[in-house]
Amino acid sequence: MSNSPSAKDSATTNATTPDRPEDEKLPFRLLVVYGLQHILTMYAGAVAPALVIGSAAGLANDPAAMGILVSGALLMAGIATLLQTVGHRKVGAQMPIVVACSFVPVSAIATLAAGQDGENMPVALGASMAAGVFALLLTPFFGQLIRFFPPIVTGTIITVIGISLMPVAAGWIMDDATTVLDDGSTVPAAPMANLALAGVTLAVILIGSRVFPGIWGRLSILFGLVVGTLIAIPFGMADFSRVGEADVVFNPTSVFYFGAPEFEVAAIATMCVIMLVVLTEGASHIIAVGEITGSKVDAKRISAGLRADVSGSIIGPIFNTTPTSSFAQNIGLLALTGIRSRYVVAAGAGILLLLGMFPILGGVMAALPTPVLGGAGLVLFGTVASSGVKTLTKVDFTNNLNLILVATSIGVAIIPLAYPTFYSFLPEAVEMIAHSGIIGAAIVSILLNICFNVIGRPSSGPLSDIDQEDIGSAGPGEAKYSDHAGHAYRDGTADPV
């Protein structure tokens, strides 16, 4: 699986040469090999949302339920990726784009699903489904809306998303452990064994990222999970005894496993705001792939791609999973390998479907020691935050108003993280929305951007060209923009589909 140019040239000798570079057809063996490379690159990020949401829903000690969540995430990723790569011209950009459960809504859905034994999962999944329909209705007109989501807005929101996920990683490391203070009271605290296990996992990931070249460096999170778990076993910190409770093969009766979706107005309103960010992220990723492949990207193609992206929100709840979006790390892999065929990614989608057919694999993933997951989560969730920061580096901060915009948005977002009861005086429905730092950051950044950069000005400012090095190091949740690709779409001057 060499990534050198010579290897790529020899590998594609027997490939067809189509009019569109993404329509290149490779021999079957290469489709499988390169498709597997895409899946290995995104696997850890694809299952992490299910693990976070399952833990928040009180299912961490239920391998059967967690297996269904992970299995559903993989199945939906396979379905959505097939729609994106092979789908109809109205649904799917027909480009080499991997689609899986997005990090963007994770914190909000975890808040909605919080409870015991998955009791609130129907509310979270119902909100996801309703917001998916809302997003689908917006796709023909999103060119007129995306102007309100320049890098300063998306960068701020994605940074907040990463920050808001950090308590999840800390909670995994602590694993519900407590310590007794001098006055006899108990407080949550991480035992030394947990800290050591998380530290070893983190060290393996960091060393792997530094030492291993290319694709292997991108697999360092998986290496860290494996090494951390192997170390935990002899110390009795890993328990796989209940893995057998998960179904070996996908059981059709597991659809709507937590019951029929429930639709609550406050929950739906929260998710609708989140889906605006998902749409923006998806549009920018499609533009980025167009840059890398040299393909034409216009408003119609972006709209078709966004329909495939949001399919996970509408279809996903059937398989007990959450909104999907394109994965930026796989865009980086396109730039790294130069393999532009959408059929390679379609083959990867087949692998995802195959993996999703075995929930027992999800049960194994769910049984990993939580301190190991916490050590990996520090990097995984931190990558989301750093992706937002990197997007913000494309913003012109010589204008002090942009500094104020970011500062105010992040400040509003941090309040409910620092003081979870800050908005408890509000009515329950309002508190649910206000409690989400992501929603707060989104609303504040959008409104301030309109006030500071839109009203009375000809445009919201220039958007940065895509930097190939940045694409190569893209993390989950990172939005990318280009001045010349899709410019009319973003400015709202292109014809809607």
Side-chain angles (χ1 to χ4, degrees):
M1 269 192 302
S2 173
N3 296 325
S4 66
S6 59
K8 184 194 74 171
D9 293 341
S10 61
T12 59
T13 300
N14 298 324
T16 61
T17 305
D19 294 333
R20 300 192 311 179
E22 64 270 26
D23 292 336
E24 181 183 21
K25 294 182 179 179
L26 307 179
F28 178 76
R29 69 182 187 281
L30 296 180
L31 290 178
V32 174
V33 170
Y34 289 130
L36 179 61
Q37 187 172 239
H38 272 283
I39 301 316
L40 291 175
T41 298
M42 54 77 73
Y43 183 83
V47 301
L51 298 177
V52 174
I53 293 166
S55 298
L59 301 170
N61 296 318
D62 186 347
M66 292 294 284
I68 285 173
L69 288 176
V70 173
S71 174
L74 294 173
L75 282 173
M76 195 60 241
I79 293 170
T81 301
L82 278 178
L83 287 174
Q84 189 68 277
T85 55
V86 184
H88 188 269
R89 62 187 180 87
K90 292 287 187 180
V91 181
Q94 296 185 341
M95 300 178 77
I97 298 174
V98 175
V99 181
C101 291
S102 173
F103 272 90
V104 173
V106 167
S107 184
I109 292 178
T111 300
L112 296 174
Q116 297 297 320
D117 302 320
E119 59 186 351
N120 291 320
M121 283 296 292
V123 174
L125 295 176
S128 175
M129 181 179 287
V133 174
F134 166 77
L136 183 65
L137 295 175
L138 285 183
T139 54
F141 317 106
F142 199 63
Q144 283 71 38
L145 295 176
I146 201 170
R147 72 180 71 182
F148 300 115
F149 293 86
I152 192 168
V153 172
T154 55
T156 300
I157 295 172
I158 293 170
T159 300
V160 167
I161 289 168
I163 294 172
S164 67
L165 287 171
M166 282 303 170
V168 174
W172 279 344
I173 295 173
M174 289 193 296
D175 195 19
D176 296 327
T178 59
T179 188
V180 180
L181 301 179
D182 293 338
D183 60 3
S185 60
T186 60
V187 295
M192 284 301 300
N194 291 27
L195 287 174
L197 191 55
V200 168
T201 303
L202 178 60
V204 171
I205 293 172
L206 296 177
I207 293 172
S209 299
R210 178 64 180 87
V211 174
F212 296 142
I215 178 62
W216 300 107
R218 295 177 182 278
L219 297 180
S220 59
I221 290 179
L222 285 179
F223 294 150
L225 291 173
V226 171
V227 172
T229 300
L230 291 176
I231 292 174
I233 291 174
F235 292 97
M237 297 180 69
D239 181 12
F240 293 93
S241 61
R242 296 185 60 191
V243 170
E245 297 178 13
D247 293 331
V248 176
V249 181
F250 179 78
N251 187 341
T253 61
S254 65
V255 299
F256 292 121
Y257 181 80
F258 301 100
E262 298 177 10
F263 303 98
E264 295 186 0
V265 174
I268 293 172
T270 298
M271 286 303 301
C272 284
V273 174
I274 292 292
M275 288 306 295
L276 292 174
V277 181
V278 172
L279 287 172
T280 305
E281 180 187 48
S284 60
H285 286 171
I286 293 169
I287 293 169
V289 172
E291 291 282 345
I292 292 172
T293 62
S295 304
K296 178 183 178 182
V297 175
D298 55 17
K300 292 183 178 180
R301 201 168 195 185
I302 292 177
S303 294
L306 291 179
R307 293 186 188 107
D309 274 1
V310 302
S311 64
S313 297
I314 302 171
I315 306 172
I318 299 174
F319 299 99
N320 314 290
T321 192
T322 54
T324 54
S325 183
S326 49
F327 263 38
Q329 55 265 59
N330 291 89
I331 299 175
L333 187 60
L334 291 176
L336 184 68
T337 65
I339 304 298
R340 301 174 293 180
S341 172
R342 60 190 172 104
Y343 298 108
V344 164
V345 177
I351 296 172
L352 285 171
L353 290 172
L354 184 63
L355 291 173
M357 291 301 295
F358 297 96
I360 193 168
L361 298 177
V364 172
M365 194 73 184
L368 297 179
T370 54
V372 171
L373 291 174
L378 290 176
V379 177
L380 201 57
F381 304 151
T383 300
V384 179
S386 61
S387 295
V389 172
K390 187 158 51 172
T391 300
L392 287 174
T393 64
K394 309 297 183 183
V395 176
D396 180 11
F397 281 106
T398 56
N399 177 358
N400 188 49
L401 292 178
N402 285 338
L403 285 174
I404 293 174
L405 186 158
V406 175
T408 306
S409 301
I410 293 179
V412 169
I414 293 296
I415 288 176
L417 287 176
Y419 291 95
T421 60
F422 188 84
Y423 295 111
S424 296
F425 66 92
L426 296 172
E428 183 177 356
V430 180
E431 180 189 359
M432 182 183 299
I433 297 175
H435 184 72
S436 171
I438 299 172
I439 300 298
I443 293 174
V444 171
S445 61
I446 292 170
L447 292 178
L448 289 183
N449 179 63
I450 292 173
C451 293
F452 293 166
N453 298 322
V454 176
I455 296 176
R457 298 193 180 189
S459 69
S460 58
L463 300 176
S464 299
D465 285 338
I466 295 175
D467 186 288
Q468 292 299 322
E469 183 178 351
D470 285 348
I471 286 289
S473 61
E478 180 170 8
K480 297 293 182 184
Y481 292 87
S482 167
D483 277 332
H484 53 283
H487 185 73
Y489 181 81
R490 286 194 304 272
D491 286 348
T493 56
D495 294 332
V497 182

